[in-house]
């Protein structure tokens, strides 16, 4: 019985995790186009000279993700000496809406879609946004009796000169094209 207790104590001592503290020697930002590096660093909570544990990194990523401005957020360890580390926060910014067009709609006017969908130029394209907009468009068609309306969305690189975010967002600006096939109206007899 004593041997089992000694073995348990030995394994718990060997495999126990000690939270190691680090001092952030340097914090850099890469991949930002519209968002400022200072905003990213401030929101992450990872500032130069701060004494942190490894548990802060997932929290920082979560805080940045919750802004809704990025498609991807990563933290890269650049250098580690003694108890000091240098990191780079690497972000991929979400696309920005340029122009929105509707192709194939005859029964519902563009102005109705603009009013109901609330999509505007300069808005960020979030992961579930386009799906929700298509769902809303299908509901509008269903109210008019077009239950079999088929709507596909297409994102294309914006060709127009953009002054969104003082022209900085040109590389991430996407035009949205809703391709609509209304099909025939369903009538109940």
């Amino acid at each position: 019985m004593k041997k089992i207790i000694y073995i348990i104590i030995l394994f718990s001592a060997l495999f126990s995790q000690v939270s190691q503290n680090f001092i952030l020697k340097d914090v850099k930002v890469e991949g930002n186009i519209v968002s400022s590096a200072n905003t990213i660093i401030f929101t992450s909570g990872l500032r130069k000279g701060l004494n942190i544990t490894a548990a802060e990194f997932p929290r920082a990523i979560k805080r940045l993700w919750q802004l809704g401005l990025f498609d991807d957020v990563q933290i890269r360890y650049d250098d580690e000496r003694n108890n000091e580390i240098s990191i780079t926060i690497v972000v991929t910014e979400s696309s920005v809406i340029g122009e929105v067009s509707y192709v194939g709609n005859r029964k519902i006017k563009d102005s109705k879609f603009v009013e109901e969908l609330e999509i505007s130029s300069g808005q960020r394209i979030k992961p579930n946004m386009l799906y929700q907009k298509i769902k809303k468009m299908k509901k509008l068609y269903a109210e008019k009796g077009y239950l079999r309306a088929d709507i596909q969305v297409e994102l294309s690189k914006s060709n127009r000169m953009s002054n969104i975010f003082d022209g900085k967002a040109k590389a991430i600006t996407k035009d949205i094209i809703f391709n609509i096939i209304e099909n025939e109206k369903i009538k109940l007899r």
Side-chain angles (χ1 to χ4, degrees):
M1 185 68 174
K2 281 186 176 181
K3 285 184 180 181
I4 294 175
I5 293 174
Y6 287 127
I7 291 173
I8 292 173
I9 293 172
L10 178 65
F11 276 112
S12 63
L14 287 175
F15 294 110
S16 67
Q17 291 184 345
V18 177
S19 68
Q20 183 179 3
N21 286 351
F22 300 101
I23 296 173
L24 288 176
K25 180 181 173 187
D26 194 22
V27 180
K28 296 177 189 168
V29 177
E30 282 182 10
N32 57 319
I33 297 170
V34 177
S35 304
S36 75
N38 287 339
T39 301
I40 294 169
I41 290 170
F42 179 77
T43 304
S44 73
L46 301 173
R47 290 181 282 289
K48 184 177 178 178
L50 202 62
N51 190 359
I52 62 164
T53 64
E56 281 300 312
F57 298 123
R59 286 187 215 132
I61 291 171
K62 184 176 181 180
R63 283 191 291 265
L64 288 168
W65 184 255
Q66 287 174 335
L67 288 175
L69 302 176
F70 308 107
D71 287 337
D72 188 28
V73 178
Q74 297 179 16
I75 296 178
R76 183 178 67 217
Y77 301 96
D78 295 329
D79 187 30
E80 183 176 350
R81 289 196 185 130
N82 300 331
N83 223 17
E84 297 182 333
I85 61 170
S86 297
I87 62 169
T88 301
I89 301 170
V90 182
V91 296
T92 304
E93 291 202 37
S94 299
S95 297
V96 175
I97 297 172
E99 292 189 10
V100 180
S101 58
Y102 307 93
V103 178
N105 55 316
R106 293 184 312 268
K107 303 301 178 186
I108 299 178
K109 294 182 181 179
D110 289 1
S111 59
K112 180 69 173 175
F113 287 136
V114 169
E115 177 186 324
E116 292 289 327
L117 299 180
E118 300 171 348
I119 299 176
S120 60
S121 183
Q123 202 175 7
R124 295 287 181 142
I125 301 174
K126 296 183 180 163
N128 202 22
M129 181 187 117
L130 295 175
Y131 170 77
Q132 293 298 327
K133 300 305 179 186
I134 289 172
K135 193 172 162 183
K136 197 167 198 174
M137 291 171 76
K138 285 184 176 185
K139 184 179 177 190
L140 290 172
Y141 272 108
E143 289 170 359
K144 289 192 168 269
Y146 293 88
L147 302 175
R148 295 183 7 160
D150 183 36
I151 303 168
Q152 301 294 320
V153 68
E154 181 182 328
L155 290 174
S156 64
K157 187 169 173 59
S158 185
N159 293 326
R160 302 188 81 189
M161 275 305 284
S162 175
N163 61 356
I164 300 171
F165 298 107
D166 298 325
K168 291 190 275 185
K170 182 163 178 47
I172 58 172
T173 302
K174 303 281 186 196
D175 291 338
I176 298 175
I177 303 160
F178 289 100
N179 294 305
I180 303 163
I181 300 172
E182 293 175 336
N183 291 315
E184 65 277 350
K185 189 173 187 174
I186 305 280
K187 295 180 183 178
L188 296 175
R189 295 180 194 197

